[in-house]
Amino acid sequence: MLNNPLLKPKQSQDDSELLDVTIAAINTTKDLVPIALAQGILGTIANILTIAQSVIKNKSDFKAIADKCETIKEILERVTKGATGDDLRYLGHALSQLNISVNYINSDVESKKEQRFLRRLFAVTIDRDKIAAWEKDLDRVLGLFNFEAIAGVAIDMKSVKQALELVGNVPSMNAPKNHQIEPPSRPAMLFGRDVLVAELTNLVVNDEHLALIGPGGMGKSSLAKAIINEPLVMDRFADRRFFVTYDELDPSTITFETFMAHFAGALGIDISSADPLRQISTFLRSACTLIVLDNAETFEEASASSALRDIPPAIAEIANIPGVILVLTSRSRRNAPNVEWITKDIPPLDLSSAQAVFFRIYHHASRSEAEEDIQGLLKELDFHPLCINILANAAQQSDWSPTTLLKRWTDLRSKVLDGGKGKLQSLSDTMQLSLSSPSIQNLGEDGLRALAIIAFLPQGLNRDLASDLLPSLPQVDAICDVLCIQSLIYRQDNFLKMLAPIRHYVQDSLQAHDSRCLQDISAFYYRTIESCSEERNNCFQPC
């Protein structure tokens, strides 16, 4: 059938008349609902449709949003019938989330109106993908009326059921119950991370899944604890903020059942069925939820085949539940597939923040007196947060002067960083956690040889020349890929490098660099110099 341009004005007129009817109905309902927040929401969606009617060119694409606005009107009319402000304790979270969602759409539509004015356009077009994203978000929020509405004994249950049927999702009365688990508090000492915390918080409240990656001791868990306590996050997720830590589990023994039991326990759910994933998913669908999976390398590096097979799909299924946001911290980049992670490599501190951490702990000399001496030492640690903390505590507890501390470092190097037990008090312990992971263990001696030679080379290992430099390590490229995945080394420009604390530990505690590798490197450079010398001599040969 040929396109008839005469049909387009007629279609546009129909769309406009439909919007007129919907806007009028919403404004009428707004005057009738008894709860102020619901009135505000209805006023906002009426404004959205009014702008769409006057300035949006592709009104037919906008019809899906108009339909959602009609559904919102009907739901709010039914669930607030006869209700008072006190009934917000049942519907407050869902109404709050709906308010945030419609205000976000309103802001975008208002910007289109402003764009039209500034560019003197007759009408503007809104991208279909953006409209689809709005529709998806409204579906997610309308689903929140699920448990919160049905819990409202003061609200007529027949009205609630009718409202929920509009969303096409009448919940089961046998929803899993949970006992509230308080998330950990914000770390007391978190210097130099304000900008990063703000950036990550913004991503979380905009429904992005985060993977915070880095070697042990970079402060990944501290950042996650800071994010979960940010006011924006607390407003968005309220008491639905959960922190699941896996650091006390062993990758060699963890199973899918262990993973799920730990997950459910942190959510305060008692598993009562043979299908824990379904039970957890049912609970998570009841409201917006933020979940931190701390020390995710534990299950990402699991040895059991069932764990490797079943855990990643379970994480993906949970991540795809509307309103659920995941933040994981991990030393490994082997994060669950089929999840749209935004990966953030956590950097070391800057000099000023590193000094602030050190002198917050160390008090045997003032910052003005010792700053110059300590500055070089902190630089030797690559401003690594855990090592700064351990070193400052060692100096404070041992009553060392700055001069004594520098001497201890010169004499003992990384041994100074083994002041206690556990990964938070010992560089050795945190390194052993990384080196004992199944991925590193599977590399065998060649993995340790590669680590030793990268630690030995001042600039690190040239990536392009790695296989030429180290022919006695035929799998050197694959080995280095694994070491990068496990955050033991990193890529910078064209070199493979490691942070100073890891380098010091490798040099002080692991096997000495392999003589075969040194011979390989010497032979490579000898051949290179010899070749260059021959080329130069050939250039000076008389014609």
Side-chain angles (χ1 to χ4, degrees), residues 14 30 46 128 140 142 145 198 222-223 253 297 324 351 368 378 396 409 429 431 449 451 477 479 518:
D14 291 344
K30 184 185 74 169
R128 288 182 179 181
R140 172 187 67 80
L142 291 176
F145 284 85
S222 294
L223 280 169
T253 59
E297 68 275 357
V324 171
L351 173 59
S368 58
L378 299 180
Q396 176 68 21
W409 174 255
D429 285 359
M431 282 299 303
R449 289 172 65 199
L451 275 174
D477 291 328
I479 290 170
L518 293 182

Side-chain angles (χ1 to χ4, degrees), residues 396-408:
Q396 176 68 21
Q397 293 165 10
S398 302
D399 200 18
W400 292 340
S401 67
T403 302
T404 302
L405 172 57
L406 292 174
K407 185 176 187 309
R408 291 287 192 278

Side-chain angles (χ1 to χ4, degrees), residues 220-278:
K220 303 180 293 297
S221 299
S222 294
L223 280 169
K225 291 172 185 176
I227 293 165
I228 210 169
N229 285 286
E230 280 292 291
L232 284 174
V233 172
M234 295 172 73
D235 288 345
R236 170 75 187 277
F237 298 99
D239 60 356
R240 303 277 294 193
R241 296 168 294 125
F242 301 101
F243 200 91
V244 192
T245 181
Y246 287 91
D247 63 341
E248 74 272 24
L249 300 180
D250 185 348
S252 65
T253 59
I254 190 171
T255 63
F256 176 71
E257 290 73 23
T258 309
F259 170 81
M260 294 308 297
H262 217 68
F263 197 111
L267 268 57
I269 298 174
D270 296 321
I271 296 296
S272 58
S273 74
D275 189 354
L277 178 57
R278 182 177 180 182

Side-chain angles (χ1 to χ4, degrees), residues 387-428:
C387 289
I388 294 168
N389 190 297
I390 293 173
L391 194 67
N393 274 294
Q396 176 68 21
Q397 293 165 10
S398 302
D399 200 18
W400 292 340
S401 67
T403 302
T404 302
L405 172 57
L406 292 174
K407 185 176 187 309
R408 291 287 192 278
W409 174 255
T410 301
D411 294 342
L412 300 173
R413 290 299 193 189
S414 67
K415 300 299 182 186
V416 180
L417 302 174
D418 285 337
K421 291 294 182 183
K423 67 174 188 175
L424 298 181
Q425 301 180 61
S426 167
L427 175 65
S428 177

Side-chain angles (χ1 to χ4, degrees), residues 439-452:
S439 291
I440 300 300
Q441 290 291 303
N442 289 340
L443 297 177
E445 288 298 316
D446 285 352
L448 299 181
R449 289 172 65 199
L451 275 174

Side-chain angles (χ1 to χ4, degrees), residues 304-477:
S305 58
S306 64
L308 289 175
R309 181 187 65 241
D310 297 334
I311 292 176
I315 292 173
E317 183 173 331
I318 290 167
N320 288 326
I321 295 173
V324 171
I325 300 300
L326 299 183
V327 175
L328 66 79
T329 73
S330 182
R331 303 182 186 204
S332 171
R333 295 178 180 277
R334 193 172 283 113
N335 312 132
N338 302 316
V339 179
E340 293 183 7
W341 300 110
I342 290 185
T343 300
K344 289 291 181 179
D345 291 289
I346 306 306
L349 299 173
D350 56 51
L351 173 59
S352 176
S353 301
Q355 290 174 327
V357 171
F358 185 89
F359 286 104
R360 178 70 177 270
I361 298 168
Y362 180 74
H363 305 294
H364 290 299
S366 68
R367 182 166 177 171
S368 58
E369 294 171 339
E371 189 172 72
E372 189 173 336
D373 291 332
I374 298 303
Q375 181 174 317
L377 180 52
L378 299 180
K379 189 174 181 181
E380 280 198 59
L381 295 172
D382 272 349
F383 309 126
H384 183 260
L386 176 64
C387 289
I388 294 168
N389 190 297
I390 293 173
L391 194 67
N393 274 294
Q396 176 68 21
Q397 293 165 10
S398 302
D399 200 18
W400 292 340
S401 67
T403 302
T404 302
L405 172 57
L406 292 174
K407 185 176 187 309
R408 291 287 192 278
W409 174 255
T410 301
D411 294 342
L412 300 173
R413 290 299 193 189
S414 67
K415 300 299 182 186
V416 180
L417 302 174
D418 285 337
K421 291 294 182 183
K423 67 174 188 175
L424 298 181
Q425 301 180 61
S426 167
L427 175 65
S428 177
D429 285 359
T430 197
M431 282 299 303
Q432 282 302 315
L433 281 174
S434 292
L435 295 174
S436 62
S437 72
S439 291
I440 300 300
Q441 290 291 303
N442 289 340
L443 297 177
E445 288 298 316
D446 285 352
L448 299 181
R449 289 172 65 199
L451 275 174
I453 205 66
I454 295 170
F456 172 75
L457 296 170
Q459 273 191 293
L461 180 63
N462 188 304
R463 293 169 60 188
D464 292 340
L465 300 176
S467 56
D468 295 325
L469 285 165
L470 300 168
S472 63
L473 283 175
Q475 302 297 319
V476 64
D477 291 328

